[in-house]
Amino acid sequence: MISGNDRHATPLTLTRKLWQINWSLVLLIVLVAGIGFAMLYSAANGSFTPWASMQMVRFGVGLILMIGIALIDIRIWMRYAYLIYGLTLILLLGVEFAGVIKGGAKRWIDLGFFLIQPSEFVKIALVLALARYFHRLNIEDISNPLTLITPLALVGIPFALVLRQPDLGTALLILMGGGAVFFAAGVRLWKFALVVAVGATAVPVGWTFLHSYQQERILTFLTPERDPLGAGYHILQSKIALGSGGMFGRGFMEGTQSHLNFLPEKQTDFIFTMLAEEFGLVGGLGLLSLYTVLCLYGVAIALRSSSHFGRLVAIGVTFTFFLFVFINIAMVMGLVPVVGLPLPLISYGGTAMLTVMAGFGLMICVYIHRDVRMGRSGEGR
């Protein structure tokens, strides 16, 4: 058996890295993705096309990407964290000049064979960049407000670019994901309270900068019955479908709201509603339990890491994943405004799938290199 001290001194070979991959976490990810394939099969009325088969291919690519990311030395991720962040910013700027407009928003770049959404990649690149920045600071450095200017800029630049697309949901996700890394790094709570207070006073001004459809979404969230056949249609149909599922649901492919096409976007943003209609409260809670276990894996990996960089990466990725799940499910239940965020590993979508799998790859990378200690500049010890 290899002791902890021996692991510090012994280089990790490829075989040892493969042996140390947390395969129970991988199996759990495959299980959740499998539920997604089944729901996409149901959404197409018992057909693998057009969604389930394509999603399986994307997941297969994502699985290879995840294992590849996990096997790379964590010190390399730290060394190139700023470069990766810079490349994603260039892609975001590329959307400004050569973006594809869909549904009134310019969020994608057409590669000819694949549409990529750079704002999805930013979520992971930002976690890496912030983790590298805070890794070199001690708690006394972090108490100095001047040291927070750079990480605030790291969050603020992509936040502003994504808000311009416009994509309010993803922009807020970037803001909150960055905030989680700040908190894990040791930034005091009163500084968060100060930022929230400043943000609250700016709400009336910010309202005037929102697009008309974004204002409409917020008004619809407050009173969806004001326009039941227009802006309120999505959320009202979602609530009807959730209620019709009852305790145990109507059965696989037996949902009336989804299969009679009353439920919009059933293969993407509202796929949890379809699952709850077919499998009821029990099915919905079952999926939430699997998501909870995935998040607990992330927290456990963060606590086990010997390096501050590893801890921050694991916490940042886990909290971003949690926000994806929480906002999507709260959205379809009418607890927050509809912002168009997919349900991780379940909703149909290429870039979102690859981003989630890349995040899990980093999480597993932290686990494999949990005993690798790094100096402030990232050198191994």
Side-chain angles (χ1 to χ4, degrees):
M1 180 179 291
I2 299 173
S3 69
N5 289 333
D6 292 337
R7 280 197 293 265
H8 297 162
T10 308
L12 287 169
T13 62
L14 180 60
T15 305
R16 282 190 60 200
K17 289 181 179 180
L18 285 169
W19 182 253
Q20 292 197 36
I21 285 178
N22 193 324
W23 291 107
S24 59
L25 175 59
V26 176
L27 286 174
L28 186 58
I29 293 168
V30 172
L31 174 61
V32 176
I35 294 172
F37 302 151
M39 297 318 301
L40 291 173
Y41 177 83
S42 175
N45 296 315
S47 173
F48 283 103
T49 56
W51 300 308
S53 56
M54 181 58 73
Q55 189 78 343
M56 289 178 183
V57 172
R58 289 167 171 172
F59 180 72
V61 174
L63 208 55
I64 295 170
L65 176 71
M66 181 183 76
I67 298 298
I69 288 174
L71 295 177
I72 294 174
D73 194 308
I74 192 170
R75 289 162 290 196
I76 293 178
W77 288 115
M78 179 166 169
R79 191 177 307 153
Y80 294 107
Y82 291 152
L83 177 63
I84 294 168
Y85 173 83
L87 290 174
T88 58
L89 279 190
I90 291 172
L91 285 174
L92 269 184
L93 288 170
V95 174
E96 288 283 319
F97 300 104
V100 176
I101 297 176
K102 289 174 63 179
K106 192 161 67 172
R107 303 172 186 170
W108 299 268
I109 295 177
D110 190 357
L111 297 180
F113 61 96
F114 191 68
L115 281 177
I116 63 167
Q117 189 175 349
S119 58
E120 292 289 337
F121 300 137
V122 168
K123 298 166 191 168
I124 300 300
L126 177 64
V127 168
L128 282 173
L130 289 175
R132 172 171 177 174
Y133 181 82
F134 283 117
H135 174 82
R136 67 180 181 82
L137 302 180
N138 55 40
I139 199 66
E140 288 78 19
D141 294 329
I142 293 174
S143 64
N144 182 356
L146 293 179
T147 61
L148 300 182
I149 294 175
T150 299
L152 284 173
L154 290 174
V155 176
I157 294 170
F159 172 79
L161 288 173
V162 173
L163 203 59
R164 270 183 55 81
Q165 292 182 353
D167 188 350
L168 181 61
T170 303
L172 291 175
L173 205 62
I174 289 171
L175 200 63
M176 290 187 282
V181 180
F182 274 61
F183 179 75
V187 175
R188 298 290 181 84
L189 283 175
W190 70 265
K191 293 175 181 173
F192 287 95
L194 180 64
V195 171
V196 171
V198 171
T201 58
V203 166
V205 179
W207 176 263
T208 63
F209 284 95
L210 291 179
H211 291 261
S212 57
Y213 80 91
Q214 290 172 327
Q215 294 178 347
E216 189 63 31
R217 281 181 176 180
I218 294 173
L219 294 174
T220 300
F221 160 66
L222 296 172
T223 52
E225 295 80 9
R226 61 193 285 272
D227 188 9
L229 297 178
Y233 181 80
H234 287 51
I235 194 61
L236 288 176
Q237 293 300 323
S238 178
K239 288 180 178 178
I240 293 170
L242 286 169
S244 68
M247 182 61 73
F248 298 104
R250 292 178 173 274
F252 187 50
M253 293 196 298
E254 298 295 332
T256 53
Q257 291 298 112
S258 50
H259 290 283
L260 294 178
N261 292 325
F262 289 107
L263 184 66
E265 304 296 337
K266 58 188 176 186
Q267 78 280 11
T268 53
D269 298 348
F270 287 84
I271 197 166
F272 181 79
T273 307
M274 187 175 69
L275 181 145
E277 186 184 24
E278 297 188 358
F279 296 99
L281 179 63
V282 172
L285 290 177
L287 180 60
L288 286 177
S289 300
L290 294 176
Y291 278 135
T292 302
V293 175
L294 281 174
C295 290
L296 290 177
Y297 263 102
V299 174
I301 288 172
L303 294 175
R304 182 66 182 79
S305 175
S306 299
S307 70
H308 196 40
F309 176 76
R311 283 192 293 273
L312 294 178
V313 168
I315 285 293
V317 168
T318 302
F319 192 74
T320 301
F321 179 79
F322 165 78
L323 285 174
F324 258 111
V325 175
F326 174 79
I327 294 177
N328 177 276
I329 294 178
M331 177 183 77
V332 301
M333 295 175 71
L335 301 177
V336 300
V338 175
V339 290
L341 285 181
L343 189 61
L345 298 172
I346 303 289
S347 292
Y348 181 75
T351 313
M353 172 67 82
L354 294 179
T355 303
V356 169
M357 296 302 284
F360 279 122
L362 286 173
M363 194 187 293
I364 296 172
C365 178
V366 173
Y367 180 77
I368 292 173
H369 302 89
R370 58 191 179 277
D371 294 312
V372 174
R373 296 179 178 173
M374 291 184 281
R376 288 193 175 192
S377 301
E379 71 278 11
R381 288 193 282 157

